[in-house]
Amino acid sequence: MTEQRPASNPVTMREVAAAVGVSVATVSLVVNNKKDARIGADTRRRVMEAIRELGYRPNALAKNLVQGSSRFIGLVADAIATTPFAGQIISGAQDEAWKHGFVLLVANTEGNESAEREAISMMLEHKVLGILYSTWFHRAADIPAALRETNFVLVNCFSPDGDSRAVVPDEEQGGRTATGMLVDRGHRRIAFVNTTTAAPARDGRLKGYRAALEAAGIPFDPDLVLDAIPNQEGGYGCVPDILRQGATAVFCHNDRVAMGLYDGLRQHGLAIPDDIAVVGFDNQEVIAAHLRPPLSTVALPHYELGVAGVRLLLGLDRVEEHALVRIECPPVERDSAGVRR
Amino acid sequence: MTEQRPASNPVTMREVAAAVGVSVATVSLVVNNKKDARIGADTRRRVMEAIRELGYRPNALAKNLVQGSSRFIGLVADAIATTPFAGQIISGAQDEAWKHGFVLLVANTEGNESAEREAISMMLEHKVLGILYSTWFHRAADIPAALRETNFVLVNCFSPDGDSRAVVPDEEQGGRTATGMLVDRGHRRIAFVNTTTAAPARDGRLKGYRAALEAAGIPFDPDLVLDAIPNQEGGYGCVPDILRQGATAVFCHNDRVAMGLYDGLRQHGLAIPDDIAVVGFDNQEVIAAHLRPPLSTVALPHYELGVAGVRLLLGLDRVEEHALVRIECPPVERDSAGVRR
DNA sequence: TTGAAAGCGCTAACAA
DNA sequence: TTGTTAGCGCTTTCAA
């Protein structure tokens, strides 16, 4: 394996100093714009000029080394490739990290445990300030032992033992919000197509659904809660049941289920939202925004999860030691829920 | 086993050496498992033990510094958050980078030029071995000047001047493959819903479409080529035109267009693939795999683009200086094209 | 206002 | 087989 040429030799601070005829200390002072050190206006000018002329770039490795702390934040994700969700977490984490002068070291593990171990090792060896450990869907996660060697916060997942800082979406509030969109339109028989998969999303959204019903004085009818595989096929498949139950509105576990539901409903000659109203969950753009009619849904706040994760890591938000921070799932109103009464 | 220390004060090699009673050089030798240096079996054992006991982790920053080269590869992407595509590029790049002992420094710029400059600066300061500059859709890209300070390869984009190494999907072959799927089923009036957006995808896929037709001895009919906004609405909107032209099959610019087309076709009471066959492009999983019927399409090889990018960067594949490397877009057969005759 | 010098944690000659 | 030593490029006292 022939690897590329050895790193080209970049301009060093010493060369800049030599070019100007000052010491490296002086150059360092002006490069970092140290406030306390008084540098002659002329010297400063000449140094700056030399920097520009020689194309000098500070060596972050050396700087980090001498300062004993890197400006890295690690982010391990379990599914960068397969969903847009991880991307949004990364994006949020990066924007926030960047804002505070930090750089993201990203590792994709695709659920592979040894890749995970390797990734964490690598980050530890780069002396990251801390690690964000994230999953693409909200769930309990076993915490790799090595994580405990540094600061870490869980993003979109949490420790079963509740002994770690974590940021997760507020599923219950999300379920309440989604159901509320339907209640607000005057619906009283609202079906809920939940997922078959045991997960916080399943329990939380159901809880929210019931809470919204209760708040509106609508009795809970267990027959209106259906379980389906959380994708298009699942949504399509439960159309007959929904119709049998005489529902006038459906809250779907996610947007993909809603997409399948659309198909089934249409096949029965039913119009959305006039014959039956639909709301989804996730706000998966490619789908939700372009269904016919565009799908009203509730957004999973992945970007905000990423932001909150680094804020916790950096200690920017005051919060109890092992708190589980819940982030709001905001409503995204489009057309499938009908017009508000 | 490992007594916890504040992350800010990690165990150093010197401490390990002191604990064992050897020199740091010896420790370095065993840590890096240097092949040529002979270390006493007993010494090696004791060092390893101390490493485990103290929880020593090598400091990659120091190592990189002294070796004059980091093991970083930078990857700047313009849309991590908005599509799964960037994620696949990252994923491919990372897998390949890791395989060769490199770590990815990822920066998301969301098209923002100053973010881009900052990102590249940051990477340069970390003395990356090189930079992958990637875009989420295949297009010509202006190359930021700073990029030229290091090795770089363009991924999913190319320099208008053709003066840089680049890896892109083979649009023409993709168009040929997609059209071929339809031709193979005996269709002769095949519509092509192209995009309204000027881009390599537009020209390349059209070229491929025509090539496939020609290879099958089918005359090209310009009336069968429609332009539409490349999303669901666009696909939906051109159904009447397609029917008017008497097409028995449609090749869609992408899967989203196909999704809209499905809707429109259904509304006309037409069955896919029996009344009309459809193939898409992109292989956007959430959509293609779960449409009814599942969509036959051609995959955009984002993962492979990432892989090829780092291979080029590392000089693992021999290739001419400013070559434009084209990666195959493989067919993904599902059900919407019908049964092969 | 500037410079000299001591490291940061590690690797790699060269010695022993 | 192992230790000594000289840096890598930079920051940071402390002196001048």
Side-chain angles (χ1 to χ4, degrees):
Chain A
M1 251 165 267
T2 4
E3 286 173 4
Q4 201 76 9
R5 55 171 191 199
S8 42
N9 25 346
V11 183
T12 72
M13 191 177 265
R14 177 147 57 223
E15 297 175 62
V16 175
V20 182
V22 296
S23 73
V24 290
T26 304
V27 177
S28 174
L29 259 17
V30 354
V31 164
N32 295 294
N33 206 15
K34 285 285 181 201
K35 199 58 206 231
D36 50 344
R38 298 260 45 96
I39 299 285
D42 183 60
T43 309
R44 160 169 273 119
R45 214 209 59 250
R46 279 162 52 227
V47 170
M48 304 271 268
E49 198 161 291
I51 286 176
R52 252 225 342 285
E53 221 136 75
L54 299 177
Y56 167 77
R57 298 259 186 199
N59 182 326
L61 301 174
K63 180 169 183 162
N64 288 162
L65 177 59
V66 64
Q67 293 184 328
S69 72
S70 88
R71 309 243 63 184
F72 290 124
I73 288 178
L75 167 36
V76 356
D78 67 346
I80 290 189
T82 27
T83 70
F85 297 147
Q88 287 166 249
I89 293 178
I90 294 178
S91 191
Q94 185 186 275
D95 287 354
E96 189 66 21
W98 212 281
K99 198 179 293 178
H100 304 284
F102 284 85
V103 162
L104 270 202
L105 232 42
V106 175
N108 175 225
T109 65
E110 293 297 329
N112 178 324
E113 228 177 88
S114 84
E116 198 170 79
R117 256 197 311 277
E118 255 195 294
I120 295 175
S121 269
M122 173 280 275
M123 288 171 180
L124 259 14
E125 292 178 11
H126 282 91
K127 307 300 166 192
V128 293
L129 180 126
I131 295 180
L132 259 33
Y133 183 87
S134 78
T135 54
W136 75 270
F137 76 95
H138 181 184
R139 62 178 172 86
D142 290 329
I143 300 170
L147 259 194
R148 304 202 185 269
E149 287 182 43
T150 185
N151 293 322
F152 69 95
V153 356
L154 306 177
V155 174
N156 209 24
C157 55
F158 56 92
S159 162
D161 312 326
D163 61 349
S164 314
R165 287 180 297 174
V167 212
V168 298
D170 190 339
E171 305 282 0
E172 182 176 345
Q173 164 272 320
R176 226 183 311 119
T177 299
T179 311
M181 289 167 74
L182 266 6
V183 168
D184 286 353
R185 267 79 173 180
H187 292 281
R188 311 229 359 130
R189 279 199 74 70
I190 302 173
F192 175 30
V193 181
N194 207 351
T195 175
T196 46
T197 315
R202 182 173 202 267
D203 302 338
R205 292 174 200 178
L206 176 57
K207 226 166 144 186
Y209 166 78
R210 298 189 61 156
L213 255 31
E214 188 173 335
I218 303 172
F220 172 70
D221 178 354
D223 288 342
L224 282 172
V225 178
L226 277 39
D227 280 354
I229 294 173
N231 61 17
Q232 287 90 330
E233 289 76 11
Y236 181 83
C238 61
V239 167
D241 266 356
I242 287 173
L243 298 182
R244 189 163 30 246
Q245 292 299 334
T248 64
V250 188
F251 162 31
C252 300
H253 182 77
N254 66 28
D255 295 346
R256 300 176 61 189
V257 166
M259 176 174 160
L261 198 75
Y262 268 48
D263 269 1
L265 257 19
R266 216 159 7 210
Q267 226 158 63
H268 283 264
L270 266 15
I272 302 166
D274 294 337
D275 297 325
I276 193 159
V278 177
V279 323
F281 207 110
D282 284 8
N283 194 33
Q284 202 162 352
E285 275 287 317
V286 257
I287 292 179
H290 300 282
L291 249 17
R292 302 177 36 80
L295 181 68
S296 290
T297 189
V298 159
L300 238 19
H302 287 108
Y303 182 93
E304 291 73 15
L305 252 22
V307 171
V310 335
R311 294 191 63 85
L312 269 178
L313 205 57
L314 296 181
L316 263 27
D317 296 325
R318 225 177 315 293
V319 101
E320 315 138 56
E321 186 57 9
H322 297 317
L324 189 68
V325 177
R326 277 180 231 277
I327 307 287
E328 196 204 348
C329 300
V332 179
E333 309 248 9
R334 287 193 267 251
D335 306 330
S336 65
V339 181
R340 190 176 231 114
R341 302 226 176 153
Chain B
M1 72 171 186
T2 311
E3 112 231 28
Q4 211 57 286
R5 297 184 61 152
S8 51
N9 186 13
V11 182
T12 71
M13 192 176 264
R14 176 146 59 228
E15 295 176 64
V16 175
V20 182
V22 295
S23 74
V24 289
T26 304
V27 177
S28 173
L29 258 16
V30 353
V31 164
N32 295 294
N33 206 16
K34 283 287 180 199
K35 201 57 204 225
D36 50 342
R38 305 117 314 188
I39 300 284
D42 183 60
T43 309
R44 161 168 274 118
R45 216 207 59 250
R46 280 161 51 226
V47 170
M48 303 271 268
E49 199 161 291
I51 287 176
R52 254 225 342 281
E53 220 136 74
L54 300 177
Y56 167 77
R57 296 260 185 201
N59 183 325
L61 301 174
K63 183 170 179 160
N64 288 161
L65 178 58
V66 62
Q67 294 185 326
S69 73
S70 87
R71 312 248 37 175
F72 290 124
I73 287 177
L75 169 34
V76 357
D78 66 346
I80 289 189
T82 27
T83 69
F85 297 147
Q88 287 166 248
I89 293 178
I90 294 178
S91 191
Q94 186 187 272
D95 287 355
E96 189 65 20
W98 273 48
K99 199 177 289 178
H100 304 284
F102 284 86
V103 162
L104 270 202
L105 234 41
V106 175
N108 176 224
T109 63
E110 294 296 330
N112 178 322
E113 227 176 272
S114 85
E116 199 169 77
R117 255 197 311 277
E118 256 196 295
I120 295 175
S121 267
M122 172 282 274
M123 289 171 180
L124 259 14
E125 292 179 10
H126 281 89
K127 307 301 166 191
V128 293
L129 179 123
I131 294 181
L132 260 33
Y133 183 87
S134 78
T135 54
W136 76 270
F137 76 95
H138 181 185
R139 62 178 173 85
D142 289 330
I143 300 170
L147 258 194
R148 304 201 185 268
E149 286 183 43
T150 184
N151 291 322
F152 69 94
V153 356
L154 306 177
V155 174
N156 210 25
C157 54
F158 57 91
S159 162
D161 313 326
D163 63 347
S164 314
R165 287 179 297 173
V167 212
V168 299
D170 190 339
E171 305 283 0
E172 182 178 346
Q173 164 273 322
R176 226 182 313 121
T177 301
T179 310
M181 290 168 74
L182 266 7
V183 167
D184 287 353
R185 267 81 174 178
H187 292 281
R188 311 226 2 129
R189 279 200 73 72
I190 302 173
F192 175 30
V193 181
N194 206 352
T195 176
T196 47
T197 315
R202 180 172 203 268
D203 303 335
R205 293 175 199 177
L206 175 58
K207 225 165 144 189
Y209 166 78
R210 297 189 62 155
L213 254 32
E214 187 173 335
I218 303 172
F220 171 70
D221 178 355
D223 289 341
L224 282 172
V225 177
L226 277 39
D227 281 354
I229 294 171
N231 63 15
Q232 286 90 332
E233 289 76 10
Y236 181 83
C238 62
V239 167
D241 265 355
I242 287 174
L243 298 181
R244 189 167 24 252
Q245 291 300 332
T248 63
V250 188
F251 161 32
C252 299
H253 183 78
N254 67 26
D255 295 347
R256 300 177 61 189
V257 166
M259 178 173 160
L261 198 76
Y262 268 48
D263 270 2
L265 257 17
R266 218 159 8 213
Q267 227 160 63
H268 283 263
L270 265 12
I272 303 167
D274 294 337
D275 295 326
I276 193 159
V278 177
V279 323
F281 207 111
D282 283 8
N283 194 32
Q284 203 162 354
E285 274 287 316
V286 258
I287 292 178
H290 300 281
L291 248 19
R292 301 179 39 76
L295 180 68
S296 290
T297 188
V298 159
L300 237 20
H302 287 107
Y303 182 93
E304 289 73 16
L305 251 23
V307 170
V310 336
R311 294 188 64 84
L312 269 178
L313 205 56
L314 296 180
L316 297 175
D317 295 326
R318 224 173 320 288
V319 102
E320 316 136 57
E321 188 56 10
H322 297 317
L324 188 69
V325 177
R326 279 179 230 276
I327 307 285
E328 196 203 347
C329 301
V332 179
E333 309 247 11
R334 286 192 268 251
D335 306 332
S336 65
V339 181
R340 192 177 229 112
R341 300 225 176 155

